[in-house]
Amino acid sequence: DLFYRQANAPGDEPYWRGAIWMPINFLALRALKHYAAHPNAPAAIAKQAASLYAELRENLLNTCIGEWDRTGSIWEHYDDVGGRGLRSHPFTGWTALVLNVMSEKYSV
């Protein structure tokens, strides 16, 4: 991607590009779980959605819990390569959605 990890302007880091953000992952998990269980979804689509759901959920929880174990904090977002917590901490804003991910509750 041409803009991946590129500064927005001189001195303005790529705040929204590249990092792992809880809200978008929560929405992706919610959609994948929906399509994995949808009665009208073709079997191949449901199977792939279920597989992607399990993989994304596991990776997201491993990242958040790993940083909690390492630092004792929940972070605003996480590095997409190494998983390190970035920016604000403790951050119990949208990153608190990790509790919904743990309990697999995606209703809003």
Side-chain angles (χ1 to χ4, degrees):
D1 185 324
L2 178 64
F3 298 106
Y4 176 71
R5 291 193 179 227
Q6 296 299 312
N8 299 317
D12 185 16
E13 65 180 288
Y15 186 69
W16 291 106
R17 295 188 297 270
I20 298 166
W21 293 85
M22 187 60 67
I24 194 67
N25 281 277
F26 175 85
L27 292 172
L29 286 168
R30 182 179 180 195
L32 289 167
K33 186 170 183 172
H34 170 82
Y35 288 110
H38 196 283
N40 296 330
I45 299 296
K47 182 178 179 181
Q48 185 176 21
S51 175
L52 290 169
Y53 170 83
E55 182 180 359
L56 177 58
R57 182 175 180 270
E58 180 180 354
N59 289 339
L60 189 61
L61 291 176
N62 285 341
T63 296
C64 291
I65 293 168
E67 278 301 272
W68 174 264
D69 288 344
R70 187 180 75 80
T71 67
S73 287
I74 295 173
W75 293 77
E76 183 178 8
H77 57 273
Y78 299 84
D79 179 71
D80 65 315
V81 177
R84 288 225 187 264
L86 301 171
R87 306 276 293 198
S88 298
H89 73 285
F91 188 84
T92 53
W94 54 59
T95 306
L97 285 168
V98 72
L99 298 174
N100 293 69
V101 174
M102 288 175 173
S103 64
E104 296 188 277
K105 295 186 181 193
Y106 300 100
S107 298
V108 290

